[in-house]
Amino acid sequence: MKLRYFPMMMAALLLAGCDLVSPDEIVNPNVDESAFLHSDNPMETWVNGTEKELALHMSDFVELMEILSDNYFNNYTRSSKVFDIPQLLYTDGDVTNLQRHIGALREMTDYGLTTVADADPHTTNADRFHLLWVKAYSFVLAGDFFRALPVENGGDVVEWDLQMKKAEEVLAEALPLASTDADRAFIHTLHARAAYRLGDREQAVAHARQALACSNNFCHQVQFDSKNGVLSRAQEAIWSDWFQPLPRLDFLDPKYFQFSSTDQCPITIAKAEENYLILAEAALAANDLTEAKAQLTALLGLVAERPVQTGINDQLEGRYNGGLKAFPNDPDYRVQASPSDSLRSGLIIDRRPPCLIAIPYISGTSVTQAMIDGLDNHDSALELVYLMRQEIFFAEGRRPADLGIRLPVCEVEAASARNAAPYTEAFIPQFVPLNYGLDDFSVDDEAKTVTITHNMNHVIMANARSADVAPFEN
């Protein structure tokens, strides 16, 4: 890490740790690097600050990745107005900020693992474990969402697949330091996610099985703290009326809610559900429909056990409120995922006064056991897997990776990295509709039906042999 990064990181850490705060709780503005490293327990402060930065960065990723996908439309004036198109320019400030978030996490963890650890004799394996998994996760984010990024400050850009391999290397380093079964399940799940994206079916299956052997219901989240100003913009966008869900996902919104003005919901970054989805998709790639259905059945059982928050007052939502487009707000409406799909009931819930709503806030799905039992071929099963991926990872910022969309190297990086030029344009697969097509639907108020223009889960299945989606099928 270059020394010039230290002031930026200290700005975060001063708010996260207590060791650099004077007795009257006023933060000391004169702390330099030497003073910090010679303070009491600098590693504790550094780990806390890293946790804070991860939460804030994840909030930005979720906010922007959700509107980049077919999950949400930005129906308001705040947040990006071009990710919905999608228009992803290397000059876009949001693209730059997301890239900086990844770089900041990587540099913060490297500094903690070297300089801070060397200075603090009280550094524990738990501290090292935390910093290692955050570093690995920065590579996972780079591998999922960007065409290429540097892996070190000032270095050349490295393509997404090598980012995922870097993640695997760091996860292998972190695993021996995991002290609980939940931590081991978490690391194996991140490793399964990286191997999945790389199309490495053998490794993805091995880590998915190991994760479930450690814990078949773990959930790892990042936390927010309104008291200390660690606020989630994703929650603000989703709980308020900025973002509107695709109507067939209405029953899952809002995943982040408030009962008081200070409530801040966590964001899930890994959970046991992902392993069942990976195992099901791997079974389909091996032409084992029976095994795929067994894994989906087990997954459905886990989702049924996940908590549901009742008594949510979402009556001010209105599904319009002066926005750009009116969204249906009546449970009598039936929804079809495309003009050729069947109409389904129960996807739009009643949030009009005096109704209170219930929302699954870890995982939810509209898929039923009858739908799984009725699968009779590879293609229909693969489409169902991607529907479940979409619903289960809803509002967690995961969908663009499944759609094959990748962000470009930002303008700042392009100006300094010698090999960045080929990556300054976003990658959007040719089968992804443009001009707001991902969010498009029509409403027949007389028939009380909603028709989604593009069923992207069917599109993924139809293009599964391409190099852009469904990694196990290639």
Side-chain angles (χ1 to χ4, degrees):
M1 172 191 283
K2 304 293 186 184
L3 185 59
R4 67 176 180 267
Y5 283 90
F6 188 77
M8 175 189 72
M9 296 183 181
M10 285 304 300
L13 298 171
L14 286 171
L15 295 175
C18 59
D19 293 324
L20 302 181
V21 179
S22 57
D24 57 0
E25 297 186 354
I26 298 174
V27 173
N28 180 356
N30 299 313
V31 174
D32 61 13
E33 182 174 20
S34 178
F36 167 70
L37 292 174
H38 290 90
S39 65
D40 292 336
N41 302 314
M43 180 59 84
E44 180 182 356
T45 300
W46 198 261
V47 168
N48 289 342
T50 303
E51 184 76 11
K52 175 200 169 186
E53 286 303 289
L54 175 63
L56 293 175
H57 297 341
M58 279 309 303
S59 171
D60 284 353
F61 264 97
V62 168
E63 175 194 348
L64 292 166
M65 294 301 100
E66 286 302 300
I67 55 175
L68 174 56
S69 74
D70 54 340
N71 286 350
Y72 276 105
F73 175 69
N74 181 14
N75 205 34
Y76 205 55
T77 54
R78 297 181 67 179
S79 195
S80 173
K81 296 305 299 177
V82 297
F83 274 39
D84 268 319
I85 296 175
Q87 176 181 295
L88 306 169
L89 302 179
Y90 84 123
T91 54
D92 190 315
D94 287 322
V95 172
T96 301
N97 286 337
L98 292 175
Q99 180 169 322
R100 284 175 174 164
H101 292 340
I102 291 172
L105 290 175
R106 184 191 68 240
E107 294 297 311
M108 287 182 76
T109 53
D110 276 344
Y111 188 81
L113 289 163
T114 54
T115 304
V116 181
D118 288 345
D120 188 350
H122 303 294
T123 296
T124 65
N125 281 342
D127 296 327
R128 293 185 179 89
F129 172 75
H130 181 92
L131 293 174
L132 282 168
W133 78 249
V134 173
K135 181 179 180 179
Y137 194 66
S138 74
F139 289 125
V140 170
L141 291 174
D144 263 347
F145 300 118
F146 281 87
R147 294 190 64 188
L149 285 181
V151 295
E152 60 183 5
N153 182 42
D156 288 344
V157 299
V158 174
E159 289 189 341
W160 71 267
D161 56 336
L162 296 179
Q163 300 279 347
M164 283 303 195
K165 289 179 180 179
K166 289 287 291 184
E168 291 182 318
E169 292 173 8
V170 181
L171 289 167
E173 192 176 351
L175 184 59
L177 302 180
S179 60
T180 67
D181 283 342
D183 283 344
R184 284 183 278 272
F186 171 50
I187 297 300
H188 281 302
T189 300
L190 291 182
H191 208 143
R193 175 175 170 181
Y196 167 79
R197 193 59 60 195
L198 289 166
D200 187 344
R201 181 158 39 116
E202 181 179 352
Q203 283 298 308
V205 167
H207 283 286
R209 292 194 186 281
Q210 287 175 298
L212 292 173
C214 292
S215 173
N216 62 7
N217 65 356
F218 90 97
C219 178
H220 195 104
Q221 300 176 311
V222 293
Q223 304 290 329
F224 297 86
D225 181 0
S226 60
K227 180 180 178 181
N228 291 298
V230 187
L231 306 176
S232 172
R233 268 181 60 93
Q235 174 167 302
E236 184 179 7
I238 288 171
W239 171 241
S240 67
D241 57 1
W242 303 8
F243 292 3
Q244 302 291 358
L246 199 68
R248 65 178 186 78
L249 300 169
D250 181 89
F251 71 101
L252 296 169
D253 176 78
K255 199 167 195 173
Y256 312 121
F257 45 82
Q258 290 183 313
F259 287 96
S260 74
S261 60
T262 60
D263 287 346
Q264 290 285 301
C265 293
I267 290 176
T268 299
I269 62 174
K271 53 191 175 184
E273 286 87 335
E274 182 159 11
N275 298 298
Y276 290 111
L277 286 162
I278 287 172
L279 292 173
E281 195 168 345
L284 288 176
N287 295 312
D288 190 342
L289 181 60
T290 300
E291 173 65 11
K293 291 167 71 171
Q295 295 296 339
L296 293 178
T297 296
L299 170 62
L300 197 63
L302 173 59
V303 173
E305 295 173 356
R306 291 302 196 186
V308 174
Q309 180 61 58
T310 60
I312 300 173
N313 185 338
D314 201 29
Q315 295 165 10
L316 295 179
E317 173 62 56
R319 287 290 178 242
Y320 181 58
N321 292 347
L324 302 173
K325 183 177 183 179
F327 284 66
N329 193 26
D330 183 338
D332 289 340
Y333 279 80
R334 295 175 296 156
V335 182
Q336 54 188 150
S338 77
S340 60
D341 280 291
S342 301
L343 288 163
R344 298 185 65 192
S345 300
L347 300 181
I348 295 174
I349 58 178
D350 197 345
R351 60 193 80 231
R352 300 168 298 179
C355 294
L356 301 178
I357 62 173
I359 297 293
Y361 58 89
I362 299 295
S363 296
T365 183
S366 66
V367 171
T368 64
Q369 187 63 56
M371 292 168 68
I372 295 172
D373 292 342
L375 296 172
D376 60 3
N377 63 76
H378 169 279
D379 287 355
S380 63
L382 187 62
E383 182 175 337
L384 190 76
V385 165
Y386 276 90
L387 171 61
M388 295 187 80
R389 285 183 66 91
Q390 182 178 26
E391 293 179 338
I392 285 169
F393 297 141
F394 179 71
E396 294 175 9
R398 300 287 301 274
R399 182 66 167 176
D402 281 353
L403 295 172
I405 299 172
R406 294 189 177 279
L407 299 172
V409 169
C410 75
E411 184 176 25
V412 175
E413 200 66 59
S416 59
R418 295 170 301 173
N419 66 333
Y423 308 105
T424 55
E425 290 187 10
F427 180 77
I428 302 174
Q430 54 83 25
F431 49 79
V432 171
L434 304 178
N435 300 316
Y436 302 100
L438 282 171
D439 304 307
D440 194 39
F441 63 89
S442 60
V443 179
D444 185 330
D445 289 321
E446 185 173 345
K448 290 198 171 183
T449 59
V450 180
T451 301
I452 310 299
T453 304
H454 302 282
N455 179 353
M456 292 307 299
N457 297 307
H458 182 83
V459 172
I460 291 170
M461 179 275 293
N463 290 276
R465 299 296 190 275
S466 78
D468 306 325
V469 292
F472 290 161
E473 297 289 321
N474 302 317

